Amino acid sequence: MNGDHTPHPISDDPKTPLLPVNNPIQRSPSSHSFTTSLLTPNNFYILLGPLSCTLICLLVKLDAPVTSVYMLAILAWMFSWWFTEAVPMPVTSMAPLFLFPLFGIASADSVARSFMDDVIALVLGSFILALAVEHYNVHRRLALNITMLFCGDPLNPPLLLLGICATTAFVSMWMHNVAAAVIMMPVATGILHRLPMGPTQSDVVGKFCRAVVLGVIYSAAIGGMSTLTGTGVNLILVGMWKSYFPEANPISFNTWFFFGFPLALVIFFALWAILCLLYCSKGSGQVLSAYLDKAHLKSELEMLGPMAFAEKMVLAVFGTLIVLWMTRSITDDVPGWGALFNGLAGDGTVSVMMATLLFIIPNKKQRGEKLMDWNKCKKLPWNIVLLLGAGFAIADGVKSSGLAEVLSKALDFLEEVPYLAIAPLVCLISATITEFTSNNSTTTLVVPLLIQIAKTMHVHPLLLMVPGAIGAQFSFLLPTGTPSNIVGFTTGHIEIKDMIKTGVPLKIVGIAALSLLMPTLGAYVFGTNGEV
């Protein structure tokens, strides 16, 4: 009798409200879930940013303009979000665009300019070239050739790792570290694509993937140390040497190479040893050989056939770009082609110019089709561009806010330290600061101070300047340390803990090697025993 009046279950009647408003029993779970949705670790991490910023603004007092305290507070906000990843990394990177004007650090226009300078133009052009390399499978051909050359028979994972790292370091000697990492990462991941991914991936395969990605990003940094044109830091150091000591002998390309290359070699082999110890177990060769068999690789290379016109043109454009990067500014005696334009052209200029050629040169596959079109550029990693811009904005903010002067005063205690301890200490301080600001801004901040300290201690300035500048390149611990690290981090193969686990011993070896070589080999090469 009551069958007609029995309420239908919610699942049987589509017209029944899912959350009846007049039923108090139904309302409490929804309010409970709303409360619990607010009380999550992620929301706590989000609050941590503005909270740390507020606490610093209220509690920290510096003998400097108030903007220096505000800048410190903004840094705390941004780094807390970067470390916890409470907000996506690219979104955090845009924070200076609203925080700097609101706190009176810089105008909106000047902050926005930081997000598009010559280095970012260099990165954009390099990424477009890298996408062309990837689109035409040039990286696959390179990956197969490198694997064939170094994998050994049977497969020897440490030897293959050495080949990938050595190739990256060599490329990085002649171009910007970021560009080297951008070009070599698709080559490395081209090798890794042959390995199983996802839930089926074994521990051995996962470790080898991490070793390869870490090897590429760190080799790019190490290779850049060995030549004068390998990284902007070396050029900043040489420029400051010439500016502060115009009567002294300038540091030539060859002079730097005779010191930088042996140093880079020591650190490079240390990197390889660390990666082999941490990520290449004894049985890894047997496991990986199932996916990287030499005969199989050879047949795949043959299947690619001869290089097509498009592949040759992409390689030609890339090769021309490398030559232009290498020859823009060489030495004082041989100024390079940049002198023709009165120094107005930068590495970003030629990077974008050569990338533009890809949209003009036909690929000879279909009528009217060019090597690249804008649809192929949809994969441009804007997250890296934004993160780079944030780094430049922070560097400018640290200077304009007065925080740079506060940091300089904090380093005055170095004047009392004996020289035998000063090289590792200077290097350690530089290597720590560079994790939080760009390598170039660290050098610009630290080196002038070291010149003053050297005069006070009555030692040759280069004995402090070189450890300070090279230490600024030891950004091995965090993704934000240098754009090359971000290139590896965005592959998804590595986490921050992998970088710290590998970066800490590598940084220790780097500081030790520099502390040993600077007063010995450096004294001979740079002539630091004589007067300035």
Side-chain angles (χ1 to χ4, degrees):
M1 189 170 82
N2 297 328
D4 292 339
H5 300 285
T6 305
H8 292 286
I10 288 173
S11 59
D12 292 345
D13 186 359
K15 294 179 183 178
T16 305
L18 291 175
L19 294 172
V21 291
N22 55 357
N23 188 341
I25 299 171
Q26 294 291 331
R27 191 164 48 233
S28 58
S30 69
S31 61
H32 174 69
S33 63
F34 176 74
T35 307
T36 53
S37 69
L38 284 177
L39 300 174
T40 61
N42 188 64
N43 285 338
F44 170 74
Y45 293 144
I46 289 171
L47 284 173
L48 189 62
L51 187 64
S52 58
C53 177
T54 305
L55 286 173
I56 289 173
C57 286
L58 293 174
L59 302 176
V60 175
K61 305 294 178 190
L62 296 174
D63 185 18
V66 69
T67 48
S68 62
V69 178
Y70 293 158
M71 187 64 214
L72 196 63
I74 290 169
L75 287 176
W77 182 333
M78 291 185 66
F79 288 129
S80 67
W81 275 7
W82 268 333
F83 285 139
T84 59
E85 295 184 15
V87 175
M89 203 179 278
V91 178
T92 306
S93 300
M94 291 190 286
L97 289 167
F98 67 88
L99 288 176
F100 283 22
L102 292 179
F103 280 86
I105 304 292
S107 68
D109 280 344
S110 64
V111 180
R113 283 190 204 103
S114 299
F115 283 79
M116 182 51 74
D117 76 347
D118 187 59
V119 175
I120 290 176
L122 165 89
V123 170
L124 278 173
S126 303
F127 275 136
I128 292 171
L129 268 163
L131 287 174
V133 165
E134 194 175 347
H135 178 74
Y136 290 105
N137 264 334
V138 178
H139 69 297
R140 181 175 167 78
R141 192 182 291 276
L142 287 171
L144 286 168
N145 274 299
I146 290 170
T147 313
M148 282 277 294
L149 186 63
F150 288 101
C151 72
D153 197 7
L155 179 71
N156 185 338
L159 186 64
L160 176 57
L161 187 61
L162 179 66
I164 296 166
C165 293
T167 307
T168 307
F170 179 77
V171 169
S172 183
M173 288 168 66
W174 314 110
M175 67 169 72
H176 197 279
N177 294 353
V178 184
V182 166
I183 292 300
M184 283 304 298
M185 197 55 75
V187 176
T189 52
I191 294 169
L192 300 184
H193 284 160
R194 302 190 49 76
L195 305 173
M197 297 293 162
T200 59
Q201 189 182 67
S202 68
D203 187 50
V204 169
V205 172
K207 280 186 172 182
F208 185 72
C209 289
R210 288 199 286 277
V212 168
V213 173
L214 289 168
V216 169
I217 59 175
Y218 292 148
S219 297
I222 293 165
M225 296 173 197
S226 55
T227 61
L228 203 56
T229 52
T231 175
V233 170
N234 297 346
L235 294 170
I236 289 170
L237 172 69
V238 172
M240 285 188 176
W241 172 250
K242 187 179 176 182
S243 174
Y244 280 89
F245 304 100
E247 304 300 319
N249 290 329
I251 300 172
S252 69
F253 187 96
N254 289 340
T255 304
W256 184 269
F257 185 79
F258 288 140
F259 175 75
F261 184 72
L263 174 69
L265 211 57
V266 170
I267 301 172
F268 174 80
F269 281 112
L271 166 67
W272 181 55
I274 291 165
L275 291 175
C276 288
L277 283 170
L278 292 177
Y279 300 107
C280 291
S281 54
K282 278 188 177 180
S284 59
Q286 195 173 353
V287 175
L288 295 169
S289 60
Y291 311 103
L292 296 169
D293 178 66
K294 199 163 189 174
H296 195 145
L297 293 170
K298 192 174 181 180
S299 64
E300 281 206 21
L301 194 57
E302 288 170 355
M303 281 170 63
L304 288 176
M307 288 184 76
F309 173 81
E311 287 181 75
K312 289 176 182 175
M313 289 312 299
V314 168
L315 276 177
V317 170
F318 176 53
T320 306
L321 178 58
I322 291 174
V323 172
L324 289 171
W325 273 336
M326 286 169 56
T327 56
R328 181 177 69 86
S329 176
I330 305 170
T331 63
D332 289 334
D333 300 327
V334 186
W337 61 262
L340 298 173
F341 301 94
N342 299 318
L344 295 176
D347 287 336
T349 310
V350 288
S351 184
V352 173
M353 183 180 76
M354 298 311 290
T356 304
L357 284 180
L358 298 174
F359 297 85
I360 297 170
I361 301 169
N363 66 6
K364 287 197 175 180
K365 285 190 173 183
Q366 291 184 10
R367 186 177 177 84
E369 195 173 73
K370 311 300 182 188
L371 288 173
M372 286 291 280
D373 58 58
W374 191 245
N375 282 331
K376 296 187 184 95
C377 294
K378 286 179 179 176
K379 291 196 293 181
L380 274 172
W382 295 106
N383 54 338
I384 296 179
V385 174
L386 289 171
L387 193 53
L388 257 179
F392 295 134
I394 287 170
D396 291 340
V398 166
K399 289 176 203 166
S400 62
S401 67
L403 186 59
E405 290 177 21
V406 174
L407 292 172
S408 294
K409 287 176 184 174
L411 293 176
D412 278 347
F413 71 93
L414 289 174
E415 292 180 11
E416 306 300 322
V417 180
Y419 176 71
L420 289 176
I422 199 80
L425 197 55
V426 162
C427 194
L428 179 64
I429 290 168
S430 246
T432 303
I433 295 172
T434 196
E435 297 292 351
F436 305 103
T437 63
S438 72
N439 299 358
N440 291 352
S441 60
T442 302
T443 309
T444 309
L445 173 75
V446 170
V447 170
L449 175 69
L450 294 176
I451 291 169
Q452 299 305 317
I453 294 172
K455 287 178 178 176
T456 306
M457 293 178 65
H458 305 291
V459 298
H460 196 287
L462 284 177
L463 287 171
L464 300 189
M465 291 170 69
V466 173
I470 293 182
Q473 298 174 60
F474 292 164
S475 44
F476 300 143
L477 301 184
L478 301 173
T480 52
T482 176
S484 306
N485 292 359
I486 306 160
V487 172
F489 197 71
T490 50
T491 63
H493 286 294
I494 58 171
E495 299 174 6
I496 291 179
K497 63 182 180 183
D498 297 312
M499 294 189 68
I500 292 172
K501 188 164 75 170
T502 311
V504 167
L506 186 60
K507 189 169 280 205
I508 291 168
V509 170
I511 292 169
L514 186 53
S515 303
L516 183 67
L517 287 176
M518 189 58 219
T520 51
L521 178 66
Y524 173 74
V525 171
F526 296 117
T528 57
N529 294 326
E531 293 294 320
V532 180

